[in-house]
């Protein structure tokens, strides 16, 4: 039945989306819409009218602007024609929850349409040209590729240039005075860190001026996270400065709209720059002033700014390789010429700035190496936990933490610590919690509520933080569990790749019952899947997880097992349901692991799970997390934003809903 899957996934009482009863009889097959969809992760939905419905693909980074770039596109359920102009806020917790707007619409021409290839020409305001969707043999049915063809119809703009992967920012020539005469424009310098701003498909990353290679990103302040979506689905490279206050001042543009604009004259680049959506509370374009010599420098000095850069009118963006005579920097806080100074903290060997602690938490022996294979120190561990604090804390707040400590580094012995009463500072929240089966009846657990608590744990070389699936109340009473965790543990002869295949089956099983589950690496060999729930009986979560594990094992006995016996797990993935026992804990999201490398328990997108073909595909270290958070934000945020699902009655997981 047309739109059957669409209707099954939506409750018209809870979503503003159109949920029509019938599919209209229509002879038209030429309309399209592209919608910008701020769901769990930002993406663009391409919808083509076909047979009375809208055939739909979710494109994480939007339509490509050039013929070299290939985008992933996920075939989703058909949508009703009413979606051609739908925009609005889908409630969080509902399928596709988040804001949706119409990015572009118009009509299109079909050149080819079959199960493996859809070729079409878009005639929109923003989306124009010939594109092709390709489905490769052997791939999942919903996995497609989208590209812009090299040959374009006469009405479409020619394909652009792909966004460069590595770009160097121009280097001005130090000088003790401004150039004489006219023909120069002058802009102030704000004393911050010079960064290359890269926005690709709505994902924003910042890269230090001394290396524009993706992966060397620095964290962007939270107020700047809307800049990527504001710039849209295209690719952009900007020359900017990030101040200590988190203000982004954009001075120039290198690439935008599929064009390398560096060869353009200053005035033309400036016009392109000012057309971009860069005005905001924490971002703006650097002002340009005509060269007035001394009075201009006096005005800059009076505002407490460190200097200016003079740019020759008519000049292109300078080529990399050394200082340019078309760019001249003058310091107003120096009496002699000096090269551009960095606003970053002094670096120590290994690249990280030394830290003495955070707030009331001190850090002893910051240079002590805890991961010998990578040279990662205690200061680096602290830096990681401070970098992830904003996203990690909501997942551990209120949960008694078990610390796993490596005081002499990961190559030496470690131990678990539950009772911290002997050395916890007075400002750290602790909670006396029962420990059935432990050495004593109860222990004083640390409850990490803020970045100071993370810093305190880092100082103890507590690389790993483990928490239960339930929270404490304000008087330290236990609330019922708010999550179900499925811990996928690869047996001998299997890897996280096998876990991904089991994860996909588990997701499909839960989807039959309207339950959404969210994946994460463990930071080790396996992975976890989390389901937000509402229960009144604490034991119900473990019972439900066991039912799910046993059904998977029954349907896929060669790949999956639901019993703990290690000898029977060879060649299979163990779905460990027992982690939902209220006495058990699981590695906290964003926690480091005490492995050879400083790997991190990292939330994933389902696209990454689908695409995993090698174990290394899903290995993330502390160095990967800043750029990853800028691209995805907290992928487990839905665990916090939803009320939680009510679990099916006992035994219902073995039934397939009609």
């Amino acid at each position: 039945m047309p739109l059957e899957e669409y209707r099954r996934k939506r409750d018209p009482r809870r979503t503003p989306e159109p949920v029509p009863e019938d599919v209209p009889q229509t002879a038209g097959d030429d309309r399209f819409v592209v919608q910008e969809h701020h769901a769990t992760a930002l993406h663009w939905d391409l919808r083509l009218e076909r047979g009375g419905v809208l055939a739909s693909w979710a494109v994480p980074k939007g339509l490509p602007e050039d013929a070299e770039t290939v985008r992933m596109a996920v075939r989703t359920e058909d949508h009703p024609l009413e979606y051609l102009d739908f925009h609005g806020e889908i409630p969080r917790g509902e399928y596709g929850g988040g804001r949706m707007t119409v990015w572009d619409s118009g009509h299109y021409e079909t050149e080819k349409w079959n199960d493996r290839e859809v070729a079409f020409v878009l005639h929109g305001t923003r989306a124009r040209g010939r594109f092709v969707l390709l489905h490769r043999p052997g791939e999942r049915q919903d996995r497609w590729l989208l590209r812009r063809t090299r040959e374009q119809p006469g009405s479409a703009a020619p394909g652009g240039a792909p966004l460069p992967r590595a770009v160097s920012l121009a280097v001005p020539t130090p000088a003790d005075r401004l150039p004489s005469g006219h023909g120069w424009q002058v802009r102030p310098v704000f004393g911050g860190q010079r960064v290359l701003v890269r926005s690709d498909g709505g994902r924003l990353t910042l890269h230090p001026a001394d290396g524009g290679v993706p992966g060397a990103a620095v964290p962007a302040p939270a107020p700047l996270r809307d800049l990527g979506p504001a710039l849209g689905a295209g690719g952009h490279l900007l020359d900017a400065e990030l101040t200590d206050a988190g203000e982004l001042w954009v001075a120039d543009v290198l690439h935008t709209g599929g064009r390398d604009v560096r060869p353009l004259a200053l005035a033309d680049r400036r016009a392109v720059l000012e057309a971009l959506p860069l005005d905001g509370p924490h971002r703006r374009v650097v002002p340009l002033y005509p060269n007035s010599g001394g009075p201009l420098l006096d005005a800059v000095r009076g505002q407490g700014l460190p200097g200016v850069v003079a740019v020759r009118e008519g000049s292109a963006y300078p080529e990399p390789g050394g200082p340019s005579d078309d760019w001249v920097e003058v310091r107003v806080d120096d009496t002699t010429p000096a090269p551009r100074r960095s606003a970053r903290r002094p670096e120590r060997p290994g690249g990280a700035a030394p830290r003495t602690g955070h707030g009331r938490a001190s850090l002893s022996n910051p240079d002590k190496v805890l991961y010998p294979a990578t040279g990662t120190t205690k200061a680096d561990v602290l830096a990681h936990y401070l970098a992830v604090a904003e996203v990690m804390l909501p997942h551990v707040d209120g949960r008694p933490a078990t610390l796993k400590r490596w005081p002499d580094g990961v190559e030496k012995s470690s131990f678990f610590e539950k009772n911290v009463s002997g050395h916890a500072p007075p400002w750290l929240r602790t909670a006396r919690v029962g420990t059935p089966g432990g050495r004593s009846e109860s222990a004083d657990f640390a409850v990490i509520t803020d970045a100071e608590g993370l810093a305190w744990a880092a100082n103890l070389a507590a690389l790993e933080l483990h928490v239960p699936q339930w929270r404490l109340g304000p008087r330290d009473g236990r609330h019922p569990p708010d999550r179900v965790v499925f811990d996928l543990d690869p047996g001998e002869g299997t890897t996280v790749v096998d876990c991904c295949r089991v994860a996909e089956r588990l997701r499909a099983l839960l989807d039959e019952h309207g339950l959404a589950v969210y994946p994460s690496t463990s930071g080790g060999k396996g992975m976890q899947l989390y389901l937000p729930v509402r229960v009144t009986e604490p034991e119900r979560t473990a019972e439900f997880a066991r039912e799910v594990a046993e059904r998977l094992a029954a349907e896929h006995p060669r790949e999956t097992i639901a019993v703990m016996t290690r000898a029977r797990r060879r060649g299979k993935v163990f779905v460990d349901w027992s982690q939902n026992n209220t006495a058990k804990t699981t590695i906290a999201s964003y926690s480091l692991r005490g492995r050879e490398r400083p790997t991190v328990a990292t939330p994933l997108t389902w696209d990454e799970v689908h695409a995993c073909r090698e174990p290394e595909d899903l290995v993330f270290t502390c160095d990967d997390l800043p750029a990853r958070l800028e691209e995805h934000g907290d992928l487990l945020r839905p665990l916090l934003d939803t009320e939680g699902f009510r679990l099916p009655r006992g035994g219902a997981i073995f039934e397939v809903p009609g």
Side-chain angles (χ1 to χ4, degrees), residues 218-250:
V218 297
L224 294 178
R225 290 179 183 166
D226 67 333
L227 178 55
L231 289 169
H236 310 271
L237 294 176
L238 307 173
D239 184 342
E241 190 177 346
L242 182 66
T243 71
D244 290 340
E247 305 286 332
L248 189 72
W249 290 92
V250 184

Side-chain angles (χ1 to χ4, degrees), residues 14 90-98 514 516 518 532 638 641-645:
R14 303 185 64 175
I90 303 172
R92 293 292 179 184
E94 295 301 302
Y95 176 75
Y518 302 92
D641 291 341
T642 61
E643 292 183 19
F645 297 98

